Amino acid sequence: MVPYRSSSHAGFTLIELLVATGIIAVLMTVVIVAVNPFRMFAAAQQTKRSSDVSTLGKSLDTYLVSMKGVVPTQMYPLNTPKPIAKNSGGPEADLCGLLSTHIAGLPIDPNSPGSIVKDCGSTYSTGYSVVANSSGKIGVYSPTGISLVNQSGVNVAVYGQVADEFITPPSTIMAFAAGTFTPALAKRTPPAGPFAAGVMVQGKADGTGTGDSLTATTGTLINGNFYPNFDTNQGSIVLWITPEWNGNDGIRHEILNNNQFYLFKGTNNRLGVSVNDGTWRSYDVDVSGWTAGTTYNVVFRWATGGTLDGTNHFSISINGSHNFGMTILNGFTSTSFFYIGSQSNQTFANALIQGLTIYRRPLYEATTPSGINVGNGDELTQIYNGGTGRDPTLVTGSWDVVFALPTNSTVGALGTTGEAWSHPHASNLLYTNTTNTGGYMMNGTYTSDGWSAQNAGGSPVTVAALATGSKIFSGGYSVASAGTANQGISYTTASLASGANYVLRAIGNSDGTCNPMIKVFRADGTTLVTSLAGTTTSTRTAPTVYIFTWQTPAAETEQIHLLNTATTGTCSWHQVEVLGNLENAPSFETGSGNPWLPTAWENWGVPVGGSSQETTIVHSGASSLKYNGGYAGAINENSGGSLGDFIGYGVFAYGTANTLCQHVSDYYLQNLSGTGIYGNTAGNRAWNTTNNQWELVKSVRNKRNTDWQRYFLDRSNSSVTGYFDDIYAFLLTPITLTLTPASLANSTEASGVRVDGYDSLTQNVNNLTRTVGEISFNYTPRHSAAQAYSFKQNSNGAYVATLYNNTNDRVHLYWSAANILTLSAVMNGTLVTGTWDATGAIAAGTTYTMKLAYVGASTMTLSVNSVVNITLSSIPAGFGTVPTTVYWGSLYDGSAQGDATFAAAP
């Protein structure tokens, strides 16, 4: 039975109260949480962020559609999130202007100051970020840290997959500040002339500003104005020049100067010289007809003590045609250095200069005649060589050279060492110092120069300094005999080592009565070592040149006698030089065996009876080497030297028929390219010896390998009978060049950054894809289409640009021949090439907008000023790896420069 409860009972039991209280507490908690203002505020922020991200993303999507999916450059580099901001102090993506037609204004994150951005010119920061990845996905996200990679949450908007072909902007914006510029001077292949490499010295095409600088020192003074690397008293300068300019350009172009002596093409379009001998004197010839890209042989000659042709002191020869002027020229001084191709870094040669060789003697030409004939024949005609050109040292040897810049005949960057040399004048064993000039005879008093009279028991000889008009060089003595034979002057050397080898070269002439001879005696002054006779017919302009060798019989001093074997007459002596000789038994006085071999020489295939010692047909001393007809083979001797050395060689040959030859393995003729391989013709020096008289065959060589170091005497025809005597070799003095190539600042012109010489300019490219890409730039060439290839480095051509990742993924744009521009692409290992005949279409100094574009499995095109000139059809589907670096004006290895300025396309 249920208990009865009165209806007036109003209370609750304790349990009921506790249950009710708990329910109320729970309900109150739910209500409070539900209306929590902080959570509500955060949710509102998230809602706004989601809306903002969506708004930004949709407007970006609309923009991408309008741009055919092309990602704006503001979002590069790929995979790198950037704040949507302007002037925020770091990497940013300023999208305000781009999206202004697709959105009312850029929304601002709730936690960022400011309101919606409508003024695109002002500084702003939205608080949102944007990113595009290499797969083509575009993302916008809020500052909560959710990235495109982590696409969960409401704070990121990902807008699909943009096609690969639209992941690159229409052109690469040139940003040279982000590129790498490396300046360097160049050696390049000349279009004509005898040398395998020449030197480029360049600046602005208009001659203004600061450009490349190439200088050399004159060296330590020998005496007067005679320096080891320059002699202003008299001389010749030989070179081949290929100008980048036409002769009528009205701009001054410097060739060589030492601030007292200028060789240049002037604003008057004449090639000339200016000399300061106390008064500035000038002489020039018209070269207004010169054309860019053409090579010219130029020889400057001068004489301060006498004249060249009986009237004039200066001559300018161009391509074998001789011009004379300057009826007055006194001695002039030299500074401690000289510039090659510029005037104190200004008024640049802007030309390719090859074979620059400076002599301290005016070379000889027979047509006028003019200069000094030292027995080489018409030197200028041989050097010009009918327009083909010839290395001057193959005509003259090194004896009178004070500076030579043949380079080591390899193309590439010009270095400071191993490029230039001088004959070792200061190493003359008959020279002491500036006040005792010994064999250079420059002191004016023969006893002060270390010479002694040789009276041969008769009356004293009369010795005097040569008169100005009787000199060849700036020194010299006349010796008048006094009625007794074998009178003259002598010089006693310092102690010489036993068995050491030497070569002597002297220049002298007769008055028609004197019968000159040079003798070398042992220390006792009576025991003859060797000798060589001159002629009574020798004159100042055609003197006798004495060159012979010997080996010292003991450690002792030896005496050099300059004698007159007649009883009367006056001999004039201009110079005597004695150098150490690298060749053993050089006069072939000692040897043994059958076949006969000179001491320390080795047999290279000569059979028994093939060679013998000759005592009748000799050049100097008592014997020579004879090759008997009907036998093959050669002999050789280790001539030594180190990698990079320049070395002077010579040997006297006498033949009855056909050809004899010498070659030096690993030592290439200095004008030729190569790395030195035995048997390579670049090491050979052959000559015809059919006149039955001794002929000096000389050369200058450059050591480019270390495998072999041997001097071979050989025959090209084993049936000939031939003779060799007085062989010599000596190291030439290396000259250190000072190079200051134009810096980036000095290579920046109104049309862009200049890449010339051996400069390189590289820039990262990060907006190309495997399948589609486009890059534009402004190109202002130094050379026209017809001339660009003339200034190439080598057979690689003259480059406009290279896009590169690896050898399987690269694009080349270059001049491959005169007027021919080539576009070559390697895509994923497949080569595709096309050309454009640009005859008359590309002019020097004119700016062209170049655009390279490609679509995989379709075409690659080159447009010039919006006209497609090259189309590569059926290119592969894409690169294996996207090119990431552009080389402006060069090949991808930094070579093959094309001489142009580069800038961003508008």
Side-chain angles (χ1 to χ4, degrees):
M1 172 177 174
V2 177
Y4 169 81
R5 180 174 295 176
S6 172
S7 60
S8 62
H9 180 73
F12 295 93
T13 66
L14 179 60
I15 293 175
E16 289 175 328
L17 287 174
L18 290 174
V19 171
T21 301
I23 292 171
I24 291 170
V26 170
L27 292 174
M28 288 180 65
T29 301
V30 170
V31 171
I32 291 173
V33 170
V35 298
N36 186 330
F38 299 103
R39 181 172 183 137
M40 292 177 67
F41 181 71
Q45 284 187 322
Q46 291 293 73
T47 300
K48 183 180 186 307
R49 285 188 180 118
S50 181
S51 175
D52 288 351
V53 166
S54 179
T55 299
L56 286 168
K58 288 178 180 178
S59 61
L60 181 58
D61 195 30
T62 304
Y63 168 83
L64 293 172
V65 170
S66 70
M67 295 301 294
K68 298 181 180 179
V70 175
V71 176
T73 56
Q74 289 89 334
M75 294 174 61
Y76 282 87
L78 300 175
N79 299 310
T80 302
K82 284 185 175 182
I84 303 174
K86 181 176 182 178
N87 299 328
S88 63
E92 60 194 15
D94 179 11
L95 302 181
C96 182
L98 298 181
L99 304 183
S100 59
T101 60
H102 305 282
I103 192 173
L106 298 183
I108 301 295
D109 180 79
N111 284 339
S112 296
S115 58
I116 188 170
V117 177
K118 295 183 179 181
D119 182 3
C120 293
S122 301
T123 297
Y124 69 86
S125 179
T126 65
Y128 296 106
S129 297
V130 65
V131 64
N133 68 14
S134 56
S135 298
K137 290 187 177 181
I138 306 298
V140 180
Y141 61 95
S142 69
T144 56
I146 299 176
S147 69
L148 186 60
V149 176
N150 178 12
Q151 298 172 30
S152 61
V154 296
N155 300 323
V156 62
V158 179
Y159 288 87
Q161 183 79 23
V162 177
D164 283 351
E165 60 265 32
F166 297 130
I167 198 68
T168 180
S171 64
T172 296
I173 303 301
M174 293 290 292
F176 290 112
T180 301
F181 178 81
T182 305
L185 273 70
K187 296 180 293 182
R188 294 194 188 161
T189 303
F195 286 82
V199 174
M200 297 290 289
V201 180
Q202 298 166 296
K204 289 185 179 180
D206 63 6
T208 63
T210 302
D212 299 333
S213 172
L214 171 60
T215 64
T217 64
T218 54
T220 302
L221 180 67
I222 291 177
N223 184 269
N225 291 325
F226 175 25
Y227 292 83
N229 304 334
F230 208 83
D231 186 354
T232 63
N233 295 292
Q234 64 287 306
S236 303
I237 298 175
V238 181
L239 59 97
W240 283 260
I241 183 169
T242 308
E244 296 184 312
W245 33 268
N246 292 326
N248 62 357
D249 69 345
I251 299 174
R252 178 170 173 133
H253 299 283
E254 213 73 21
I255 297 175
L256 185 142
N257 82 81
N258 71 348
N259 293 331
Q260 301 295 316
F261 180 69
Y262 293 82
L263 304 178
F264 60 95
K265 198 284 290 185
T267 57
N268 61 353
N269 300 324
R270 298 176 69 85
L271 183 68
V273 58
S274 290
V275 180
N276 183 11
D277 66 355
T279 299
W280 280 102
R281 306 185 191 280
S282 300
Y283 174 62
D284 56 29
V285 296
D286 180 33
V287 292
S288 60
W290 279 15
T291 58
T294 301
T295 301
Y296 302 89
N297 174 228
V298 179
V299 182
F300 300 93
R301 292 179 296 156
W302 70 97
T304 59
T307 64
L308 294 173
D309 61 349
T311 303
N312 298 288
H313 293 267
F314 210 94
S315 171
I316 300 176
S317 300
I318 302 174
N319 288 350
S321 178
H322 314 299
N323 308 274
F324 296 88
M326 204 178 294
T327 57
I328 299 174
L329 179 62
N330 301 309
F332 57 95
T333 61
S334 175
T335 55
S336 60
F337 62 93
F338 53 94
Y339 284 91
I340 300 168
S342 75
Q343 177 187 344
S344 302
N345 299 357
Q346 297 178 342
T347 60
F348 319 102
N350 282 341
L352 181 60
I353 297 173
Q354 58 172 303
L356 175 63
T357 309
I358 305 177
Y359 293 86
R360 63 183 303 256
R361 169 178 64 82
L363 299 178
Y364 177 68
E365 61 87 13
T367 303
T368 306
S370 61
I372 303 296
N373 182 2
V374 297
N376 297 322
D378 190 325
E379 293 168 316
L380 267 62
T381 296
Q382 293 181 69
I383 291 170
Y384 177 56
N385 197 25
T388 302
R390 194 179 189 194
D391 177 355
T393 65
L394 294 178
V395 177
T396 67
S398 72
W399 291 97
D400 293 321
V401 176
V402 286
F403 179 83
L405 182 63
T407 76
N408 62 9
S409 291
T410 59
V411 296
L414 179 68
T416 58
T417 58
E419 307 285 3
W421 58 268
S422 175
H423 181 85
H425 297 286
S427 299
N428 184 2
L429 297 180
L430 275 59
Y431 171 76
T432 302
N433 51 46
T434 56
T435 57
N436 182 357
T437 62
Y440 295 121
M441 305 178 174
M442 298 177 67
N443 198 47
T445 304
Y446 74 102
T447 53
S448 297
D449 274 334
W451 292 89
S452 301
Q454 291 292 318
N455 297 314
S459 300
V461 298
T462 301
V463 186
L466 288 174
T468 298
S470 299
K471 293 179 179 180
I472 293 176
F473 302 110
S474 49
Y477 295 111
S478 65
V479 184
S481 294
T484 303
N486 294 315
Q487 291 187 318
I489 56 177
S490 66
Y491 190 100
T492 301
T493 69
S495 182
L496 305 179
S498 177
N501 303 289
Y502 298 94
V503 57
L504 178 147
R505 191 250 198 175
I507 296 179
N509 65 271
S510 170
D511 64 351
T513 301
C514 168
N515 194 5
M517 176 175 279
I518 298 181
K519 294 183 178 181
V520 178
F521 290 96
R522 296 191 62 179
D524 58 14
T526 59
T527 304
L528 182 67
V529 177
T530 189
S531 64
L532 189 64
T535 68
T536 59
T537 58
S538 56
T539 64
R540 171 192 171 270
T541 56
T544 297
V545 177
Y546 304 78
I547 298 179
F548 58 92
T549 64
W550 75 93
Q551 188 175 63
T552 57
E556 60 184 7
T557 60
E558 293 182 343
Q559 298 181 21
I560 310 299
H561 290 224
L562 311 180
L563 303 175
N564 176 11
T565 59
T567 57
T568 60
T570 299
C571 293
S572 296
W573 299 100
H574 302 275
Q575 177 182 300
V576 186
E577 190 169 349
V578 176
L579 298 175
N581 191 348
L582 296 176
E583 300 297 336
N584 286 301
S587 191
F588 304 128
E589 305 296 313
T590 61
S592 61
N594 186 0
W596 185 82
L597 297 176
T599 302
W601 286 68
E602 297 180 5
N603 189 2
W604 196 265
V606 179
V608 172
S611 63
S612 59
Q613 187 176 27
E614 170 67 26
T615 58
T616 301
I617 300 176
V618 298
H619 179 256
S620 76
S623 66
S624 66
L625 166 69
K626 178 182 180 181
Y627 271 133
N628 299 309
Y631 296 90
I635 65 170
N636 68 86
E637 195 266 337
N638 192 339
S639 54
S642 302
L643 194 67
D645 285 341
F646 286 95
I647 193 166
Y649 279 100
V651 64
F652 282 87
Y654 182 109
T656 58
N658 216 309
T659 303
L660 299 175
C661 69
Q662 59 163 325
H663 63 269
V664 188
S665 59
D666 295 345
Y667 276 95
Y668 271 39
L669 295 177
Q670 68 163 7
N671 60 302
L672 301 178
S673 62
T675 55
I677 302 172
Y678 166 69
N680 193 303
T681 56
N684 290 351
R685 177 81 167 95
W687 64 97
N688 291 317
T689 52
T690 60
N691 297 323
N692 292 333
Q693 62 185 21
W694 288 103
E695 177 187 356
L696 175 61
V697 183
K698 53 266 185 187
S699 61
V700 171
R701 301 167 185 267
N702 183 221
K703 185 170 180 59
R704 304 192 198 129
N705 202 303
T706 57
D707 292 342
W708 293 80
Q709 301 180 38
R710 299 197 174 273
Y711 199 145
F712 290 80
L713 295 179
D714 202 350
R715 294 164 294 181
S716 62
N717 188 329
S718 61
S719 65
V720 305
T721 298
Y723 305 84
F724 292 102
D725 202 359
D726 288 322
I727 186 171
Y728 64 82
F730 48 80
L731 294 177
L732 301 172
T733 303
I735 294 177
T736 300
L737 304 174
T738 300
L739 311 178
T740 309
S743 64
L744 174 60
N746 293 331
S747 297
T748 301
E749 305 182 17
S751 58
V753 173
R754 185 177 70 250
V755 180
D756 58 15
Y758 204 69
D759 300 341
S760 67
L761 176 63
T762 62
Q763 183 179 347
N764 291 333
V765 177
N766 53 20
N767 50 2
L768 302 177
T769 72
R770 290 180 52 253
T771 58
V772 173
E774 195 173 284
I775 183 169
S776 297
F777 58 96
N778 276 357
Y779 167 65
T780 309
R782 176 69 62 88
H783 316 294
S784 69
Q787 300 157 357
Y789 192 70
S790 298
F791 294 91
K792 66 184 182 302
Q793 177 186 326
N794 50 35
S795 58
N796 288 330
Y799 268 68
V800 177
T802 306
L803 290 171
Y804 187 77
N805 187 293
N806 54 55
T807 56
N808 286 325
D809 294 293
R810 50 197 165 93
V811 179
H812 305 279
L813 183 60
Y814 62 101
W815 296 100
S816 58
N819 293 307
I820 302 302
L821 187 63
T822 294
L823 176 62
S824 174
V826 180
M827 302 181 70
N828 202 21
T830 299
L831 173 66
V832 186
T833 300
T835 62
W836 172 42
D837 186 340
T839 301
I842 300 294
T846 301
T847 299
Y848 301 90
T849 297
M850 316 283 275
K851 183 171 74 171
L852 177 71
Y854 61 93
V855 176
S858 180
T859 62
M860 178 179 290
T861 60
L862 174 73
S863 300
V864 180
N865 289 348
S866 300
V867 176
V868 176
N869 295 110
I870 302 178
T871 299
L872 305 184
S873 301
S874 302
I875 65 172
F879 290 102
T881 309
V882 179
T884 55
T885 305
V886 59
Y887 294 78
W888 300 112
S890 73
L891 185 56
Y892 62 85
D893 62 0
S895 68
Q897 281 71 8
D899 295 339
T901 62
F902 297 88

XYZ file of all heavy atoms in Angstrom, residues 485-542:
409
model
N 149.019 43.528 -88.092
C 147.869 42.631 -88.178
C 147.438 42.166 -86.793
O 148.237 42.163 -85.844
C 148.216 41.434 -89.050
N 146.161 41.769 -86.706
C 145.580 41.207 -85.477
C 145.559 42.202 -84.320
O 145.685 41.818 -83.156
C 146.297 39.930 -85.071
C 146.079 38.819 -86.074
O 144.957 38.602 -86.533
N 147.160 38.136 -86.448
N 145.371 43.459 -84.643
C 145.161 44.462 -83.608
C 143.661 44.625 -83.359
O 142.837 44.356 -84.225
C 145.778 45.793 -84.014
C 147.302 45.790 -84.037
C 147.870 47.163 -84.282
O 147.381 47.915 -85.122
N 148.924 47.502 -83.540
N 143.337 45.100 -82.166
C 141.937 45.308 -81.837
C 141.739 45.533 -80.360
O 142.593 46.123 -79.687
N 140.616 45.057 -79.825
C 140.319 45.183 -78.397
C 139.866 43.823 -77.876
O 139.418 42.962 -78.635
C 139.244 46.251 -78.119
C 137.957 45.955 -78.908
C 139.773 47.638 -78.437
C 136.822 46.925 -78.621
N 139.990 43.630 -76.551
C 139.618 42.348 -75.952
C 138.903 42.573 -74.631
O 139.058 43.630 -73.989
C 140.845 41.464 -75.741
O 141.707 42.048 -74.778
N 138.156 41.560 -74.237
C 137.413 41.582 -72.976
C 137.646 40.247 -72.284
O 137.502 39.187 -72.898
C 135.916 41.779 -73.248
C 135.077 42.055 -72.023
C 134.688 43.344 -71.712
C 134.659 41.032 -71.184
C 133.894 43.619 -70.602
C 133.873 41.282 -70.074
C 133.498 42.579 -69.782
O 132.727 42.843 -68.684
N 138.010 40.295 -71.004
C 138.240 39.074 -70.231
C 136.997 38.753 -69.423
O 136.508 39.584 -68.647
C 139.438 39.225 -69.295
O 140.600 39.527 -70.076
C 139.686 37.944 -68.509
N 136.480 37.563 -69.611
C 135.254 37.160 -68.913
C 135.541 36.841 -67.458
O 136.692 36.689 -67.039
C 134.643 35.923 -69.564
O 135.496 34.799 -69.324
C 134.478 36.110 -71.058
N 134.485 36.713 -66.690
C 134.608 36.126 -65.360
C 134.934 34.650 -65.531
O 134.914 34.106 -66.635
C 133.316 36.314 -64.586
N 135.249 33.980 -64.444
C 135.616 32.567 -64.520
C 134.455 31.743 -65.057
O 133.315 31.872 -64.605
C 136.024 32.056 -63.142
O 136.421 30.699 -63.218
N 134.762 30.890 -66.044
C 133.769 30.019 -66.654
C 133.986 28.594 -66.182
O 135.118 28.183 -65.917
C 133.865 30.092 -68.176
C 133.761 31.494 -68.792
C 133.893 31.414 -70.311
C 132.466 32.173 -68.406
N 132.923 27.837 -66.092
C 133.022 26.467 -65.593
C 133.615 25.560 -66.658
O 133.415 25.750 -67.862
C 131.640 25.966 -65.189
N 134.323 24.553 -66.198
C 134.911 23.580 -67.116
C 133.802 22.804 -67.822
O 132.867 22.327 -67.183
C 135.812 22.617 -66.354
O 136.334 21.634 -67.221
N 133.932 22.692 -69.131
C 132.951 21.953 -69.906
C 131.648 22.687 -70.132
O 130.721 22.122 -70.726
N 131.551 23.938 -69.684
C 130.330 24.722 -69.901
C 130.248 25.156 -71.363
O 131.253 25.278 -72.064
C 130.324 25.934 -68.979
N 129.022 25.409 -71.803
C 128.780 25.715 -73.208
C 128.264 27.140 -73.361
O 127.459 27.607 -72.550
C 127.760 24.736 -73.787
C 128.201 23.301 -73.630
O 129.128 22.847 -74.285
N 127.543 22.573 -72.721
N 128.706 27.799 -74.431
C 128.376 29.205 -74.626
C 128.074 29.488 -76.091
O 128.471 28.755 -76.999
C 129.530 30.102 -74.141
C 129.795 29.925 -72.671
C 130.770 29.032 -72.232
C 129.049 30.616 -71.723
C 130.985 28.832 -70.878
C 129.259 30.411 -70.369
C 130.222 29.520 -69.960
O 130.433 29.315 -68.622
N 127.343 30.593 -76.296
C 127.091 31.092 -77.643
C 127.393 32.588 -77.648
O 127.071 33.307 -76.698
C 125.638 30.823 -78.076
C 124.632 31.426 -77.108
C 125.396 31.335 -79.496
N 128.026 33.046 -78.715
C 128.392 34.460 -78.852
C 127.693 35.023 -80.072
O 127.619 34.377 -81.125
C 129.905 34.605 -78.993
C 130.465 36.023 -79.191
C 131.839 36.146 -78.542
C 130.562 36.429 -80.667
N 127.207 36.237 -79.923
C 126.640 36.963 -81.057
C 127.174 38.389 -81.016
O 127.052 39.089 -80.018
C 125.122 36.976 -80.985
C 124.461 37.483 -82.258
C 123.822 38.831 -82.075
N 122.850 39.126 -83.123
C 122.086 40.199 -83.155
N 122.149 41.076 -82.184
N 121.251 40.399 -84.146
N 127.802 38.799 -82.109
C 128.361 40.138 -82.215
C 127.972 40.746 -83.546
O 127.638 40.038 -84.507
C 129.876 40.099 -82.078
N 128.011 42.088 -83.607
C 127.709 42.817 -84.835
C 128.845 43.801 -85.087
O 129.234 44.556 -84.190
C 126.373 43.563 -84.732
C 125.227 42.557 -84.574
C 126.136 44.428 -85.955
C 123.871 43.199 -84.430
N 129.395 43.766 -86.271
C 130.483 44.672 -86.632
C 130.529 44.912 -88.117
O 129.903 44.199 -88.907
N 131.276 45.938 -88.510
C 131.436 46.211 -89.940
C 132.810 46.796 -90.230
O 133.537 47.242 -89.325
C 130.332 47.123 -90.457
C 130.348 48.502 -89.871
O 129.740 48.745 -88.828
N 131.019 49.442 -90.528
N 133.147 46.790 -91.492
C 134.461 47.237 -91.957
C 134.339 48.582 -92.652
O 133.255 48.976 -93.104
C 135.029 46.192 -92.912
O 136.189 46.664 -93.555
N 135.461 49.259 -92.781
C 135.518 50.473 -93.602
C 135.913 50.156 -95.037
O 136.133 51.042 -95.836
C 136.485 51.484 -92.994
C 137.929 50.975 -92.970
O 138.149 49.774 -93.263
O 138.831 51.757 -92.648
N 135.985 48.877 -95.351
C 136.397 48.436 -96.675
C 137.817 47.934 -96.699
O 138.211 47.216 -97.635
N 138.577 48.277 -95.680
C 139.968 47.822 -95.575
C 140.130 46.849 -94.418
O 140.824 45.830 -94.543
C 140.918 49.026 -95.383
O 140.781 49.911 -96.493
C 142.367 48.566 -95.283
N 139.528 47.176 -93.311
C 139.598 46.296 -92.139
C 139.031 44.918 -92.494
O 138.001 44.807 -93.154
C 138.812 46.913 -90.995
S 138.527 45.810 -89.603
N 139.730 43.881 -92.054
C 139.280 42.504 -92.268
C 138.968 41.909 -90.893
O 139.830 41.327 -90.242
C 140.366 41.698 -92.965
C 139.825 40.384 -93.513
O 138.629 40.120 -93.445
N 140.704 39.567 -94.051
N 137.713 42.064 -90.412
C 137.394 41.751 -89.014
C 137.327 40.254 -88.736
O 136.982 39.448 -89.604
C 136.032 42.407 -88.808
C 135.428 42.464 -90.166
C 136.555 42.617 -91.144
N 137.621 39.895 -87.502
C 137.523 38.523 -87.016
C 137.322 38.550 -85.510
O 137.861 39.427 -84.820
C 138.774 37.720 -87.360
C 138.775 36.290 -86.791
S 140.180 35.295 -87.301
C 139.633 34.789 -88.928
N 136.558 37.586 -85.013
C 136.402 37.408 -83.570
C 137.065 36.102 -83.180
O 136.839 35.064 -83.811
C 134.919 37.392 -83.161
C 134.253 38.718 -83.504
C 134.767 37.101 -81.672
C 132.800 38.799 -83.126
N 137.893 36.164 -82.138
C 138.569 34.980 -81.637
C 138.304 34.824 -80.143
O 138.227 35.825 -79.417
C 140.076 35.064 -81.878
C 140.474 35.037 -83.346
C 141.986 35.046 -83.521
C 142.378 34.957 -85.002
N 143.846 34.947 -85.182
N 138.194 33.584 -79.723
C 138.059 33.272 -78.301
C 139.313 32.526 -77.874
O 139.652 31.468 -78.440
C 136.806 32.422 -78.031
C 136.712 32.075 -76.548
C 135.551 33.151 -78.490
N 140.027 33.098 -76.877
C 141.241 32.492 -76.364
C 141.023 31.996 -74.945
O 140.157 32.493 -74.213
C 142.395 33.512 -76.357
C 142.891 33.884 -77.716
C 142.423 35.031 -78.353
C 143.837 33.098 -78.360
C 142.883 35.380 -79.606
C 144.309 33.444 -79.619
C 143.830 34.581 -80.254
N 141.861 31.035 -74.583
C 141.888 30.611 -73.191
C 142.513 31.712 -72.335
O 142.902 32.774 -72.833
C 142.658 29.298 -73.057
C 141.986 28.132 -73.779
C 142.612 26.807 -73.421
N 142.462 26.516 -72.011
C 142.899 25.400 -71.421
N 143.522 24.459 -72.153
N 142.722 25.195 -70.132
N 142.610 31.453 -71.045
C 143.063 32.481 -70.116
C 144.457 32.999 -70.438
O 144.779 34.157 -70.134
C 143.020 31.936 -68.688
N 145.280 32.174 -71.089
C 146.645 32.619 -71.394
C 146.690 33.641 -72.519
O 147.738 34.248 -72.788
C 147.541 31.426 -71.736
C 147.014 30.618 -72.926
O 146.126 31.110 -73.648
O 147.483 29.480 -73.110
N 145.593 33.837 -73.213
C 145.537 34.827 -74.270
C 146.178 34.397 -75.567
O 146.182 35.160 -76.550
N 146.712 33.183 -75.621
C 147.376 32.707 -76.840
C 146.793 31.400 -77.362
O 146.918 31.106 -78.552
C 148.887 32.515 -76.588
O 149.059 31.565 -75.520
C 149.547 33.833 -76.213
N 146.175 30.595 -76.503
C 145.609 29.317 -76.931
C 144.208 29.545 -77.470
O 143.299 29.918 -76.728
C 145.569 28.317 -75.767
O 146.887 28.164 -75.225
C 145.061 26.971 -76.239
N 144.051 29.326 -78.787
C 142.786 29.616 -79.441
C 141.757 28.532 -79.136
O 142.040 27.341 -79.261
C 143.001 29.723 -80.956
C 141.758 30.085 -81.783
C 141.306 31.506 -81.469
C 142.054 29.933 -83.278
N 140.561 28.945 -78.756
C 139.442 28.021 -78.557
C 138.613 27.916 -79.829
O 138.329 26.835 -80.330
C 138.553 28.475 -77.384
C 137.350 27.548 -77.229
C 139.349 28.529 -76.092
N 138.232 29.060 -80.397
C 137.450 29.081 -81.632
C 137.510 30.474 -82.221
O 137.957 31.438 -81.559
C 135.990 28.656 -81.378
O 135.321 28.479 -82.613
C 135.258 29.678 -80.531
N 137.023 30.614 -83.451
C 137.040 31.918 -84.103
C 136.027 31.949 -85.236
O 135.526 30.914 -85.685
C 138.431 32.221 -84.655
O 138.768 31.288 -85.676
N 135.727 33.170 -85.712
C 134.842 33.351 -86.854
C 135.223 34.642 -87.558
O 135.387 35.688 -86.915
C 133.377 33.412 -86.414
C 132.342 33.394 -87.545
C 132.394 32.073 -88.312
C 130.944 33.597 -86.978
N 135.369 34.580 -88.868
C 135.817 35.733 -89.646
C 134.642 36.489 -90.224
O 133.601 35.912 -90.556
C 136.751 35.281 -90.767
N 134.850 37.815 -90.390
C 133.883 38.658 -91.061
C 134.322 38.966 -92.477
O 135.104 38.215 -93.076
N 133.809 40.085 -93.028
C 134.150 40.450 -94.402
C 134.524 41.923 -94.482
O 134.072 42.746 -93.680
C 132.974 40.206 -95.361
O 131.925 41.119 -95.056
C 132.478 38.772 -95.232
N 135.315 42.252 -95.484
C 135.684 43.648 -95.706
C 134.543 44.433 -96.339
O 134.573 45.667 -96.355
C 136.911 43.729 -96.628
O 136.606 43.089 -97.870
C 138.118 43.049 -95.992
N 133.557 43.741 -96.860
C 132.457 44.425 -97.548
C 131.314 44.809 -96.615
O 130.337 45.416 -97.052
C 131.900 43.531 -98.669
O 131.460 42.297 -98.101
C 132.972 43.254 -99.723
N 131.415 44.456 -95.367
C 130.334 44.775 -94.420
C 130.282 46.276 -94.165
O 131.304 46.967 -94.163
C 130.548 44.023 -93.107
O 131.830 44.314 -92.567
N 129.064 46.784 -93.956
C 128.849 48.208 -93.711
C 127.927 48.390 -92.514
O 127.370 47.420 -91.980
C 128.211 48.883 -94.934
O 126.906 48.318 -95.144
C 129.074 48.676 -96.187
N 127.711 49.647 -92.137
C 126.802 49.900 -91.018
C 125.402 49.388 -91.317
O 124.757 48.778 -90.468
C 126.726 51.399 -90.724
C 125.623 51.741 -89.710
C 125.335 53.230 -89.630
N 124.146 53.475 -88.830
C 122.909 53.536 -89.319
N 122.693 53.369 -90.616
N 121.879 53.763 -88.510
N 124.893 49.617 -92.510
C 123.542 49.189 -92.838
C 123.474 47.721 -93.237
O 122.383 47.151 -93.305
C 122.957 50.048 -93.970
O 123.829 49.987 -95.101
C 122.798 51.493 -93.507
N 124.624 47.099 -93.484
C 124.678 45.667 -93.787
C 125.898 45.068 -93.098
O 126.872 44.665 -93.745
C 124.735 45.429 -95.287
